Amino acid sequence: NDEITLRVATALDPASDEPFGLDAQRWRDWWQTKKSLTKEAWLADQIQIVRSRLTTLQDSLDSCRVESEQRQSAVLHRLRDFQRDVYRRMNADQKELALVEWLRDPLLEVEATALDIIKAQIADEGQRPEGEVATALRELLKSGSASMRREVLRVLQNLSGPAVVRDVLAQLEVEQDPATRHAILKALGKLSDPEAAPALIREIASPQSPTECVREAAIALGQIMPKADDDSPTESAVSALKTRYASTPEQDHPLRAALLTAMAGVASEAFLPEFLAAVESDDATLLRPAIEGLRAVGETSKATRFRDHAAHPDPMVRLAAIEALGELGREEADLECLLLRLHPTSESNELARQAAWRAFNDFQHRKPMAERVQAAQRLRDLPDLEIAYLTELRAGLANVNGDAAHLAAVLRRLADLLLQRQSHANAYPYLRDLYQLHAGTSAPEAQDTGVEWLAAALHGFPLQQPGEVITQLLAADNGEASAGKVVETVEQYFASGEQTATADRNAELVGHLKTVDASLLPPRWTKLLNGLAEPAPADTPPQGAP
């Protein structure tokens, strides 16, 4: 009976790993190889067949999934392109309405494209979401997709405002996904709003909080607390941080470092035992927050360790130690350490050298003015820094009407440094100010400085006007002596061959000098200028030459 044969073959089909169909002879031959098997061997054989078929089905399923994902990706790519194209064609009002609608669309991919548009506006145009768009964006914190919530947080953490902080904190209260909780804590740190401090303290104190979340909460608290006011929850922060630090295994350096960072942000002397112990560590992750903590509470007893750590292999540890020395250093050894870190040969890290420079200036600002002026000599082998230091010192002395002798010393050194570099234009204002300090005195420095000032003006023409300088020099009490020096200086300038000016520029300079009242100068002044204005005679060819 064909129907019975078909049903039997269908029933037997799963027992074989080969398709015999309705071929009765092949089934009989197959049975001859199987009928002698024990029950256990038969079951083992059947299990192997099932496993083989399962592998085949799994491969087929994987292939279908890949194809489905590829098709879905292509469709979504076209959807995003279409969505962006539609958005570009809209006017401003339509764009805002569209973004609000798309951010609230039930299809995740439409929301994601709207989010991408907002990111591009922030990055490319500095345009931050406002009004209903900002509200719809914050509403996505309640999205059913954890990945979408994290993407929204990456945008919100770069914004600001009470509404953003409020909604992020509200989501922290209900968030169950560990990765998203971690993203929320990181966002709160970047938002740096003191309103988040209590929530961060609770996260640190919670025994159920994952280690990564505690670490991120501590880092965020360290960023927020320096900006908090006097009403900040310092007492609860101290309790939570000390308890968590004590229960953290010593080998968990990343978490301990984060907790130390939060302690440094709180800046309470209650953390001194933790800071003092950690600053003796050899681990760079602990050293930096420990140094910052000691600096925050003004603890100076570890200056020796700061000097040691200023040469630490880790540049960030060196940076923290240098900054601490600038703020807390008092001894000559501290200053010597900072001077060493200013040299590129000793300090390869640019940030550390910049910190050493700031620290050197901070160190000097605590000293009397006479010592600050004298300290410029410590920078003799770093002329660029010496010029920068003296320039700032000169500005400070001018602003407070400082001692004339100190100001004269600073101006003299600045002028000398710049003249050594042939930077006459930059030396000009310092020579002018120095001359004006000496003006009206019979001191030899007045006349010598006036000569240098005039030479700098000659080199700096037309930016500087030497005619005005000459007028001021001639108006001094020692008029005849000044007049002679003026002529001599101009003669030397044109005779030295040092000037690199063109003939046109020199002709213009001579024309400028002729505007000076010649009656105030000796007769050779007019002769000098007239000679400079005449063209040089041509060489006379030998007699008989063609």
Side-chain angles (χ1 to χ4, degrees), residues 239-508:
S239 174
L241 289 167
K242 287 182 79 71
T243 301
R244 176 64 76 167
Y245 192 84
S247 64
T248 300
E250 290 187 7
Q251 63 271 22
D252 191 349
H253 289 173
L255 180 53
R256 286 199 154 216
L259 293 168
L260 286 169
T261 299
M263 293 175 183
V266 175
S268 169
E269 291 188 358
F271 298 126
L272 261 180
E274 288 81 5
F275 294 149
L276 291 172
V279 82
E280 300 295 338
S281 171
D282 293 326
D283 189 270
T285 57
L286 297 177
L287 281 174
R288 185 181 184 189
I291 294 170
E292 291 173 346
L294 291 171
R295 175 186 168 198
V297 299
E299 177 60 39
T300 61
S301 64
K302 289 296 180 178
T304 302
R305 293 298 289 159
F306 296 159
R307 294 195 293 269
D308 292 342
H309 293 322
H312 194 278
D314 187 285
M316 301 313 292
V317 173
R318 298 201 302 273
L319 181 65
I322 289 167
E323 290 174 339
L325 282 174
E327 190 168 323
L328 304 177
R330 297 293 184 273
E331 302 176 12
E332 180 66 17
D334 301 330
L335 182 57
E336 288 293 337
C337 179
L338 294 176
L339 288 168
L340 183 65
R341 305 326 299 179
L342 286 173
H343 285 265
T345 54
S346 303
E347 178 53 69
S348 59
N349 185 271
E350 175 66 21
L351 290 177
R353 290 199 302 273
Q354 291 175 1
W357 174 239
R358 292 192 300 271
F360 175 82
N361 282 282
D362 291 343
F363 198 101
Q364 297 304 327
H365 283 162
R366 296 193 291 270
K367 294 185 175 182
M369 183 55 69
E371 293 184 32
R372 292 176 63 185
V373 174
Q374 190 71 17
Q377 298 181 9
R378 310 291 289 270
L379 300 169
R380 288 295 170 93
D381 54 344
L382 294 166
D384 288 338
L385 293 185
E386 185 180 4
I387 290 173
Y389 177 77
L390 289 168
T391 302
E392 182 180 346
L393 203 56
R394 177 245 189 179
L397 284 165
N399 289 337
V400 299
N401 295 320
D403 184 87
H406 291 151
L407 182 56
V410 170
L411 292 171
R412 180 72 265 172
R413 181 57 185 164
L414 275 169
D416 288 345
L417 284 168
L418 293 166
L419 290 174
Q420 288 170 12
R421 297 180 170 198
Q422 300 297 309
S423 183
H424 297 88
N426 289 326
Y428 176 92
Y430 303 126
L431 290 167
R432 177 198 61 209
D433 293 351
L434 186 58
Y435 176 79
Q436 290 172 353
L437 277 178
H438 294 312
T441 70
S442 58
E445 291 87 349
Q447 195 172 80
D448 294 341
T449 304
V451 167
E452 290 181 294
W453 181 27
L454 175 55
L458 290 167
H459 284 277
F461 178 82
L463 181 63
Q464 276 85 34
Q465 300 292 299
E468 297 176 5
V469 177
I470 293 171
T471 301
Q472 290 192 46
L473 294 179
L474 295 177
D477 292 340
N478 50 353
E480 292 184 7
S482 295
K485 287 290 186 180
V486 165
V487 178
E488 183 181 337
T489 302
V490 175
E491 287 175 338
Q492 289 176 352
Y493 172 77
F494 282 104
S496 65
E498 293 179 2
Q499 73 274 14
T500 58
T502 63
D504 289 344
R505 184 264 189 190
N506 283 342
E508 185 181 353

Side-chain angles (χ1 to χ4, degrees), residues 122-136:
I122 296 173
D124 300 338
E125 305 168 19
Q127 180 181 342
R128 295 172 175 248
E130 297 177 348
E132 281 297 309
V133 175
T135 301

